[in-house]
Amino acid sequence: MQTHEKLKLVGLRKSFGEHEVCRGIDLTVAEGSMVCLIGASGSGKSTLLRCINLLEPIDSGQILLDGFDIADPEIDPLPLRRRIGMVFQSYNLFPHMTAIENVMLAPRRVHRRSRAELRDEITAMFERFGLKSHIGHYPDQLSGGQQQRVAIIRALAMKPEIMLFDEVTSALDPEMVGEVLDVVRQLKSQRMTMVLATHEMSFAREAADWVCFLDKGVIAEAGPPAQIFGNPKEARTREFLSRIL
């Protein structure tokens, strides 16, 4: 069965001053698949996600979305960015707005949809992710795990084609990590195309379709989870995994 290439990175390079953070990254993400990026802090995972979402301009290379190069500097990034949802480590919810108001803000502003039009659709999303009773709560009335789930709903409300997750569990207490990863599992079961930077190795091993080990701005090794975690070919991968597993 042919799988459609939803996202493809070709020779992606990104520097900050003299420091090259992404050093010629090639990566293909099939539609409906989940790719996990693993590696030490500073290996380039977060920068790579920010480049894919056009939050950082790249120095060279291509970012192909459905075969179309979205990294072309002549192209308006805004409509393209709407097709790619991103959830960060910090929840970035507006403290003066309730959970549902936080989620409604972007669809109202960007898609010009009314509150009445959005309410049923967004309420159903809160229900799906176990938050219906918290819909009217302000961020400071929610736990970290609940706030992160609201942040995921906010990204999904824009109906993206791809979701990017940048270490979304790293700011959470251990008991809250599971509830956020359950949301990601649910999205996987619905065949959402996803790229995650994560330190949760057991989750990557169990849930990913493909795992990429980043080291000093390059993908040092990539493969199915069974290979990367069970029989890594590269010495650098083995060394990294031996330190953290």
Side-chain angles (χ1 to χ4, degrees):
M1 191 175 87
Q2 285 257 302
T3 52
H4 169 62
E5 282 182 1
K6 186 67 182 171
L7 178 70
K8 186 170 184 175
L9 311 181
V10 184
L12 187 150
R13 290 183 176 271
K14 173 65 185 175
S15 297
F16 295 101
E18 298 292 299
H19 180 46
E20 193 171 29
V21 182
C22 296
R23 298 162 46 217
I25 289 180
D26 298 318
L27 174 64
T28 300
V29 181
E31 187 162 35
S33 71
M34 181 201 287
V35 173
C36 281
L37 309 177
I38 65 170
S41 295
S43 58
K45 305 184 299 294
S46 294
T47 298
L48 182 60
L49 292 178
R50 290 176 66 83
C51 288
I52 294 171
N53 200 35
L54 308 179
L55 293 171
E56 295 286 355
I58 65 172
D59 299 328
S60 62
Q62 292 179 301
I63 302 171
L64 303 170
L65 181 59
D66 291 328
F68 179 72
D69 187 6
I70 64 173
D72 182 338
E74 301 297 307
I75 294 167
D76 177 8
L78 276 176
L80 295 164
R81 209 177 280 145
R82 289 171 203 154
R83 296 172 64 188
I84 305 173
M86 185 153 176
V87 184
F88 300 88
Q89 214 175 65
S90 51
Y91 332 118
N92 300 323
L93 300 177
F94 291 110
H96 63 288
M97 291 182 174
T98 62
I100 194 168
E101 286 169 342
N102 266 284
V103 171
M104 280 186 176
L105 185 64
R108 286 183 61 219
R109 282 198 178 159
V110 175
H111 297 314
R112 305 282 179 213
R113 299 180 67 194
S114 69
R115 284 174 194 266
E117 205 183 332
L118 286 165
R119 182 163 290 278
D120 287 353
E121 186 183 304
I122 288 176
T123 300
M125 290 169 83
F126 273 86
E127 188 160 20
R128 196 166 103 204
F129 297 130
L131 284 172
K132 192 177 178 190
S133 61
H134 297 80
I135 214 161
H137 290 190
Y138 289 90
D140 66 1
Q141 298 171 305
L142 301 172
S143 70
Q146 289 165 343
Q147 289 187 63
Q148 192 60 287
R149 280 185 283 161
V150 172
I152 293 170
I153 295 169
R154 178 178 59 186
L156 290 170
M158 294 297 284
K159 301 191 186 307
E161 297 163 37
I162 297 175
M163 284 287 283
L164 309 176
F165 295 90
D166 185 15
E167 306 282 10
V168 292
T169 57
S170 63
L172 299 178
D173 292 334
E175 67 270 19
M176 293 172 189
V177 169
E179 64 189 49
V180 173
L181 294 180
D182 283 344
V183 172
V184 179
R185 284 188 189 92
Q186 211 180 117
L187 294 176
K188 179 178 164 66
S189 72
Q190 291 152 4
R191 294 193 52 74
M192 169 64 80
T193 307
M194 295 185 279
V195 184
L196 290 86
T198 186
H199 287 305
E200 300 293 333
M201 296 300 140
S202 57
F203 175 75
R205 186 174 203 157
E206 161 233 326
D209 296 298
W210 196 252
V211 177
C212 299
F213 167 56
L214 269 76
D215 184 53
K216 297 179 182 147
V218 298
I219 294 178
E221 186 168 357
Q227 178 214 308
I228 297 295
F229 292 103
N231 187 25
K233 294 182 169 64
E234 298 293 325
R236 285 185 292 178
T237 317
R238 290 196 294 273
E239 185 194 338
F240 170 73
L241 290 172
S242 72
R243 281 203 315 267
I244 59 160
L245 288 179

